[in-house]
Amino acid sequence: MVSQRLLREGVADETDLKEIIPPDYALDKGPVAVAECFQEIPCNPCSTYCRRGAIVLENINDRPIIDYDRCNGCTLCVSKCPGLAIFVINKNFSEDEATVTLPYEFLPLPKKGDVVITLDRYGSPVGKGKVVRVQNTRYNDKTPLITVTVPKDMIMNVRNIKVEA
Amino acid sequence: MRIESHPILEFKRGHALKFIFDGQEMIGYEGETIAAALHANGVKVLSHSIKEGRPRGFYCAIGNCSSCLMKVNGTPNVRVCIEPLRDGMIVETQHGKGVIK
Amino acid sequence: MINTDVAVIGGGPAGLSAAIAAADMGAHVTIIDRNHELGGQLLKQTHMFFGSREEYASTRGFDIANILKEELKERSVEVLLNTTAVGYYKDDGVWALEEGEDKFVKLKAKKTIVATGAMERHLLFPNNDLPGIYGAGAVQTLMNQYGVMPGKKVLMVGAGNIGLIVSYQLLQAGVEVSAIIDAAPAIGGYLVHASKVRRQGVPILTSYTVKRAYGNEVLEGATIVKVDEGFRQIPGTEIDMDIDTMCIAVGLNPLVELLWQAGCKMRYIPQLGGHVPVKDEDYETTVKGIYVAGDAAEIEEATSAMVEGRLAGLNAAHAIGFDNGNYAREKDNALKRLNALRSGPVGAKIRNGLLKLAEEAV
């Protein structure tokens, strides 16, 4: 059952997120994927592109449940998710910063080192972050991945960026 | 308004073509439809309804709905949403059912 | 007169898949498309497809069109572009085709697969005919095939997959989307699509409909209004929208004129998109030799349309007597994939519709 907010507005609420937030031991070890895919839809690329067997779907309609003993936050699934619903969060990027890696299919694309506005699931600004990595290879197939710094307590809040003109 | 940059698509436009819309010279590109070229030139009203004379634009853009019928090189009832633009075309707003010569 | 084993009318996802499958079985296939290029509506799909690897998941729609076109080339399928199937002569089983303008030719096929797709519905409200009010698919064509923006500020009507996807594509093209509204109390499309437009800042207003549009010669604005559970407008809840474009994405209707004309038994099944042909498990309609696949059979996703096309192609070729030795295995595999795609909660509507069609077929 997904929340009324998600059904009506397209924004996951705490009850939805509670089910998918990685356990502390996983967050402590480094980057991990978070699949914000709350609905059973016929789709399985996250599973087929994962090289570590961290997402196993018995039925194509199953929701992706990430095995955090196997997931190492490699990002291979992120640009292959047709719903752009997978993010990689790294709580231990540095002493006082975390990062969020997100798919970003808009122009202009930020460059490494740029400071961008960070947005939440409503698209509302929540702060600023520094772009520490841009992945835009053939594999990403025009779904570039942006890794941006966020405060440690914002890894489950920042889900988009805005590049200032 | 034409899209100049796009995160996914590259638009490889063909040669520029001149055409006349209701007496006015306009530029479009080879490979696009008359409706696309008109829209890029800011023209949204393509025809008028037969009974009430209400303005009509395209609706489906794939040749199904007949909302975009215009007179092209003298021929009425051309579905401009699927008709390719050609150099020197004379495109006119159609009023009424059109007359086939 | 053109003679062929299998004629496929419509070169979209279903038709291309049907042609490939029938050619693989060994049939001579002729594919007929009224457009100047094969691919149908795949050509304007810039998003990645769902499904599994076999349905080209994670590949963008226009790339899938190119893959299928390549496969067609390898199998030397005969392709008639800029050609419209305009009628069917029941007595001698001949299709009338119009090539370009004013040139008519006859085609006789041992089996025909109708894969004509669908067209966008409209919605009733005052001034719904103003230029600037377009089908969402039309806007996709304008933007993604011709690189032309529909306007500056858009209201999207319909939060199904088409409404959500086209909203996202409008944003990618640099067009502002003021809101996405839907009369239903919940989002109809995939929630992942909803979330990705929502985090771009686009509000999604469920239980809202269009009260009226206004404008002199072209659309200049619209008033939206909240509706109750009975879809009645609630006075005092109006919101004025400053927009120059409205996209209608309230569903599709199967394009079935040829099937009506051929005398196929048709049934009205709302879950399948309207009037659809009665068909057997081989995708053959009640008129022997005429098969159907994709949105012309029932409104669903392009992924399932491709699998259906495959099934219709396999069965049509096999019914003539062609078999490369893999027919049974290929058919079984396609049926399993189709059932898997439809087996979840989002497939419930299609499953119910197909059950209803089977009941009413008699």
Side-chain angles (χ1 to χ4, degrees), chain B residues 14-72:
Chain B
H15 298 290
L17 304 174
K18 277 186 195 161
F19 68 103
I20 311 280
F21 166 69
D22 284 350
Q24 200 185 334
E25 191 176 288
M26 291 182 174
I27 302 283
Y29 294 93
E30 195 178 5
E32 65 188 14
T33 59
I34 299 171
L38 284 172
H39 211 286
N41 281 279
V43 178
K44 290 186 177 182
V45 181
L46 305 176
S47 72
H48 289 84
S49 69
I50 294 167
K51 279 191 187 167
E52 309 278 340
R54 291 172 64 87
R56 289 283 156 84
F58 64 80
Y59 182 73
C60 76
I62 52 172
N64 284 328
C65 73
S66 299
S67 178
C68 67
L69 303 181
M70 296 184 86
K71 204 162 144 183
V72 179

Side-chain angles (χ1 to χ4, degrees), chain A residues 76-130:
Chain A
L76 280 180
C77 57
V78 182
S79 55
K80 294 299 172 193
C81 169
L84 305 187
I86 308 181
F87 304 86
V88 168
I89 55 178
N90 182 1
K91 204 177 169 184
N92 296 316
F93 176 70
S94 71
E95 192 78 1
D96 41 32
E97 279 174 317
T99 59
V100 173
T101 301
L102 46 88
Y104 188 72
E105 295 180 330
F106 290 89
L107 293 177
L109 209 58
K111 296 183 304 292
K112 186 178 171 180
D114 285 357
V115 173
V116 294
I117 298 169
T118 51
L119 310 174
D120 64 11
R121 293 180 185 83
Y122 283 100
S124 302
V126 287
K128 285 192 174 192
K130 200 168 107 184

